[in-house]
Amino acid sequence: MKFSCLKENLVHGINAVGHIALRTSSLPILNNIFISAGDTGLYLSATNLEIGIENTVRGKLEEPGDCLVSAKLLLDLLPLLPDGQIHLETTGAGLCVKTQDTESTLRINPVTDFPIIPPVEEKRGEFSLPQPIVKEVFEKTLFAVGRVEQRPQFNGILLAFKKNTFTATATDGYRLAEVVVEIADGVYEGKIIVPNTTAQEITRLLMAGDESEAVQFLIGENQLHITIGSTQLTSRLVEGEFPDYEALFPKKVEPVTVASGALTKAVKATTLFSRSGVADITITLKENNQLEIFSESGEIGSHRTAVPFAGKAEITTPVVLNARFLIEGVAVCSGETEISFGGADQPVLVTPKKQTAAKYRYLLMPIRE
């Protein structure tokens, strides 16, 4: 194999695929990146058997060939090399990496032992969305994904495709985050559950991607294939039926409005005095338009603070909430947050005062004493 390309292009490709190899410990062979030089460019791939990521780097091909190289070594070495052209060549000693001023030889492994990333079979549909929308959708739902071994459907994000809407939902059984995006039209209608680790990888790829390129979804019977620019990701889907949650949302809401930053700061201070391992805080709407936040621990002491709100306090019954869950839900609401209370044993609804194209709502169950 003989191939040359710009360092920045190679670094981008290695970063795209290499991360998944670093998170794999079950089989040592999976800690490598498969590299193949051909007419279409330098093909790179890595997999952990659940997720496969591929990237193609443009450059000059002199001689086709392939090899298997340590992902960690490539990720550590390449950023330290001089900018400009990088030349790759396989020799009897390994993979020779040359620049104008440096030369490195990396040990290679047999490519026959590396698993092939399977293509999507039984294609059910295709879909395309702008990168900023997909990024926002995952950022507003990922934090609420559960890790429940007995209920694997909670360990991912539900993506529901309809003709005019795209909905993403995540829950751990105690809180639920939903984002709805209106679209012009779609060519697929159905539901899939994307594993948490896959959603994290997609978010990571979007952080480094060109926002002008749309995200292409290819949906199979039990697989999802996503294309983001020159990078492709293939993943298994979570099996199981996601719960029908629509009835959980209150039909009538009378929200109060608070400043998101002030509320977060007040909750963080109060949490310092909550019970260890519970992170419980008590919230009460006072008639003087003050949202009171209180917590008490026999070991530490107590703390009471208040944040002003706008609106009418329809429900003044105290409600006990998990502070971390509340903070994470409010973090999505920049500027001002609307909160709807239904009573001590009713879920709390959190929404931003000003919605974006990705409309967000967050449901938080109270802690029952």
Side-chain angles (χ1 to χ4, degrees):
M1 178 183 79
K2 287 185 180 180
F3 189 87
S4 59
C5 62
L6 286 174
K7 171 197 164 181
E8 62 179 294
N9 293 340
L10 182 58
V11 168
H12 178 270
I14 294 295
N15 283 340
V17 306
H19 183 259
I20 198 69
L22 295 183
R23 298 177 62 180
T24 303
S25 58
S26 56
L27 295 172
I29 195 70
L30 300 181
N31 297 133
N32 294 279
I33 295 175
F34 175 71
I35 303 176
S36 179
D39 294 335
T40 58
L42 192 69
Y43 169 80
L44 311 170
S45 73
T47 181
N48 64 358
L49 301 183
E50 296 290 331
I51 305 171
I53 302 181
E54 307 160 89
N55 184 277
T56 302
V57 178
R58 294 174 299 174
K60 180 181 178 182
L61 174 68
E62 296 183 48
E63 185 178 312
D66 47 43
C67 61
L68 205 59
V69 184
S70 163
K72 185 177 187 310
L73 184 54
L74 286 171
L75 288 166
D76 290 344
L77 173 66
L78 292 178
L80 303 176
L81 299 181
D83 293 336
Q85 287 285 321
I86 287 185
H87 303 273
L88 308 175
E89 181 178 357
T90 50
T91 67
L95 175 64
C96 183
V97 181
K98 292 182 182 180
T99 68
Q100 184 175 352
D101 303 312
T102 67
E103 181 174 335
S104 308
T105 301
L106 285 61
R107 187 176 69 84
I108 58 179
N109 297 298
V111 297
T112 53
D113 298 333
F114 196 75
I116 297 173
I117 299 174
V120 173
E121 298 178 352
E122 301 181 44
K123 185 175 76 172
R124 293 166 53 189
E126 296 180 74
F127 210 85
S128 177
L129 284 172
Q131 277 199 43
I133 290 292
V134 179
K135 180 182 175 184
E136 185 176 1
V137 162
F138 283 125
E139 287 178 343
K140 288 182 173 180
T141 52
L142 256 176
F143 68 92
V145 172
R147 290 162 181 81
V148 186
E149 189 173 332
Q150 296 80 7
R151 306 183 75 177
Q153 63 270 36
F154 282 6
N155 301 336
I157 297 178
L158 172 71
L159 301 185
F161 301 88
K162 294 183 180 179
K163 185 176 181 180
N164 299 114
T165 58
F166 165 65
T167 304
T169 311
T171 183
D172 58 7
Y174 302 99
R175 35 76 177 275
L176 182 145
E178 181 199 67
V179 177
V180 179
V181 180
E182 293 183 1
I183 52 178
D185 72 301
V187 293
Y188 170 72
E189 292 192 27
K191 298 178 181 180
I192 59 175
I193 303 177
V194 179
N196 181 38
T197 52
T198 300
Q200 290 176 348
E201 285 300 318
I202 294 171
T203 302
R204 185 182 64 84
L205 293 173
L206 291 171
M207 295 291 288
D210 180 358
E211 289 194 349
S212 64
E213 298 174 317
V215 180
Q216 307 292 331
F217 294 80
L218 176 60
I219 301 163
E221 185 63 31
N222 60 358
Q223 287 176 292
L224 171 67
H225 182 83
I226 285 184
T227 301
I228 306 171
S230 61
T231 302
Q232 301 179 64
L233 179 148
T234 303
S235 169
R236 294 181 182 178
L237 296 173
V238 176
E239 296 183 3
E241 191 70 24
F242 202 85
D244 185 6
Y245 61 86
E246 189 64 35
L248 297 175
F249 286 98
K251 296 294 186 266
K252 181 183 178 181
V253 295
E254 296 290 343
V256 298
T257 304
V258 296
S260 302
L263 177 61
T264 298
K265 186 176 180 180
V267 171
K268 286 182 176 180
T270 309
T271 309
L272 299 175
F273 296 82
S274 63
R275 290 176 293 174
S276 177
V278 181
D280 58 321
I281 58 172
T282 300
I283 294 181
T284 307
L285 292 179
K286 298 294 186 177
E287 293 182 355
N288 61 350
N289 280 59
Q290 293 288 308
L291 187 149
E292 183 185 88
I293 308 169
F294 173 77
S295 190
E296 182 177 25
S297 167
E299 298 177 355
I300 301 173
S302 64
H303 181 80
R304 189 186 307 271
T305 186
V307 178
F309 68 82
K312 186 177 180 181
E314 297 286 345
I315 304 293
T316 57
T317 308
V319 59
V320 182
L321 299 175
N322 179 291
R324 179 174 65 85
F325 289 176
L326 179 59
I327 289 171
E328 289 178 339
V330 172
V332 177
C333 307
S334 59
E336 293 182 310
T337 298
E338 290 188 337
I339 307 180
S340 301
F341 297 91
D345 59 349
Q346 296 299 311
V348 173
L349 177 63
V350 175
T351 57
K353 177 72 172 179
K354 292 184 178 180
Q355 294 277 12
T356 65
K359 295 180 175 61
Y360 164 80
R361 57 179 180 170
Y362 179 69
L363 206 60
L364 177 57
M365 298 301 295
I367 298 175
R368 291 182 170 86
E369 298 291 345

